[in-house]
Amino acid sequence: MVEELVTAGVALACTGTVYLMAAARVVKQYERGVVLRLGRLVSEVREPGFTMIVPIVDRLRKVNMQIVTMPVPAQEGITRDNVTVRVDAVVYFKVVDAADAVIRVEDYRFAVSQMAQTSLRSIIGKSELDDLLSNREKLNQGLELMMDSPAIGWGVTVDRVEIKDVSLPETMKRSMARQAEATRDRRARVINADAELQASKKLAEAAEAMSDQPAALQLRLLQTVVAVAAEKNSTLVLPFPVELLRFLERSGLQAQAETAAAEAERDGGRRPAAPAAPRAPRTPVEHGAETALPELADLPPVEDLP
């Protein structure tokens, strides 16, 4: 009798151990347990820690409550300004209701992935190329709103959506590079012209100030010579004022004229006067022009003439 009781006790203990091992479950801190009893949802969601279920009758599904990082495959589309681009993104989401994530959707990860791809294609078609390249914050917010609305019904909330890369065709890259180069060239020319204008105004003011004090020009010349000599050059280029060159030129021409006049006077005093050149015989008209014509009373009578 005693042996039968011992055998029954051992069998009961083994059965209890097996039952305990089959019913015992451990839910981790970042998980929640959803229990389905005979296919029906048990309203109570199991919290982290040790929990018990009814073997064979209950099914426990653990749902990860951590933030999931899901890359979105690159989607090719045509923007609103007819440019073909490939855009990829990344989605950050997490489960906020474990029961809805199990009951309302078959696979919430796959559903979020497909929704992210379709939303990304929709954003590409509604946006322009400049917005994809420079206004990504606005596009990220639009993607987040498009994905968060249906995801709430699945017990999932979208925490953040980021566009990672925008791939452009090679022809478009070259066109954008030429455009950027032309824009920078235009800015450089405008800045250079503005600098020239300001420099010309300052030079005009300096010239006006120097015109009142001629000695200032010489001082400026000496400063330029000192600045050039400080560079340890073997050749020194000395700027020469144009006004000084013109003054020297006029002085040289005047000295040459005075020297020629002095030599002419000196030669005229030493040499004898040259004989006058023989003159041609004068005509009666010329002779009459120099001598006075005789009066009619002084002429002899006609009969006295030979």
Side-chain angles (χ1 to χ4, degrees):
M1 187 67 182
V2 176
E3 294 179 357
E4 294 179 355
L5 292 175
V6 172
T7 304
V10 172
L12 183 61
C14 293
T15 303
T17 303
V18 172
Y19 178 82
L20 182 64
M21 293 178 61
R25 294 289 186 275
V26 176
V27 180
K28 297 180 182 179
Q29 181 64 39
Y30 54 85
E31 294 177 340
R32 297 295 183 271
V34 178
V35 179
L36 298 176
R37 181 167 295 166
L38 298 177
R40 295 177 63 88
L41 175 66
V42 178
S43 59
E44 181 183 359
V45 177
R46 304 301 172 88
E47 296 295 328
F50 180 81
T51 184
M52 296 287 292
I53 63 173
V54 179
I56 304 173
V57 177
D58 293 345
R59 293 289 184 270
L60 178 66
R61 293 191 60 178
K62 299 178 183 180
V63 180
N64 193 334
M65 306 296 289
Q66 292 177 315
I67 295 177
V68 180
T69 303
M70 177 179 293
V72 181
Q75 302 297 311
E76 185 172 354
I78 300 177
T79 61
R80 193 166 61 179
D81 49 354
N82 297 325
V83 179
T84 304
V85 294
R86 288 178 59 88
V87 182
D88 57 353
V90 59
V91 181
Y92 301 91
F93 69 94
K94 64 180 179 180
V95 177
V96 293
D97 193 335
D100 289 342
V102 173
I103 301 301
R104 293 182 179 274
V105 63
E106 180 182 2
D107 187 350
Y108 66 90
R109 289 175 178 266
F110 181 74
V112 171
S113 175
Q114 295 300 312
M115 183 177 58
Q117 296 180 30
T118 55
S119 300
L120 184 58
R121 281 179 170 272
S122 178
I123 286 292
I124 293 174
K126 294 179 181 179
S127 305
E128 295 184 356
L129 180 60
D130 293 339
D131 295 334
L132 289 174
L133 296 177
S134 60
N135 197 11
R136 295 189 180 182
E137 290 295 332
K138 183 178 179 180
L139 299 180
N140 293 338
Q141 294 177 2
L143 275 173
E144 183 177 348
L145 291 175
M146 293 177 64
M147 296 178 59
D148 197 27
S149 298
I152 292 177
W154 304 336
V156 177
T157 180
V158 178
D159 187 67
R160 190 175 182 84
V161 182
E162 292 286 346
I163 295 177
K164 291 199 302 183
D165 188 22
V166 178
S167 301
L168 300 175
E170 293 297 328
T171 55
M172 181 58 64
K173 290 181 180 180
R174 289 194 294 268
S175 299
M176 295 178 65
R178 288 195 299 268
Q179 179 184 359
E181 184 178 358
T183 302
R184 289 184 174 86
D185 189 20
R186 179 179 61 84
R187 292 179 182 175
R189 295 192 180 200
V190 170
I191 293 173
N192 190 16
D194 190 15
E196 291 291 339
L197 178 60
Q198 295 180 6
S200 63
K201 290 181 180 179
K202 295 299 181 181
L203 288 175
E205 294 177 2
E208 184 178 359
M210 288 182 180
S211 62
D212 298 336
Q213 298 292 334
L217 184 62
Q218 300 298 328
L219 293 177
R220 182 58 183 165
L221 177 62
L222 294 177
Q223 290 179 357
T224 304
V225 172
V226 171
V228 173
E231 297 295 333
K232 299 180 181 180
N233 295 325
S234 59
T235 303
L236 179 62
V237 179
L238 182 63
F240 215 66
V242 179
E243 291 78 4
L244 185 58
L245 291 176
R246 293 177 180 174
F247 174 76
L248 294 177
E249 183 180 2
R250 288 195 300 269
S251 300
L253 294 177
Q254 186 177 359
Q256 291 179 2
E258 292 178 356
T259 303
E263 290 181 354
E265 291 179 359
R266 185 171 59 254
D267 293 343
R270 293 179 180 179
R271 296 178 182 177
R279 299 183 60 184
R282 297 181 179 179
T283 60
V285 176
E286 294 177 356
H287 181 73
E290 294 181 359
T291 59
L293 292 174
E295 298 291 339
L296 294 176
D298 298 337
L299 292 176
V302 177
E303 56 273 8
D304 295 337
L305 292 174

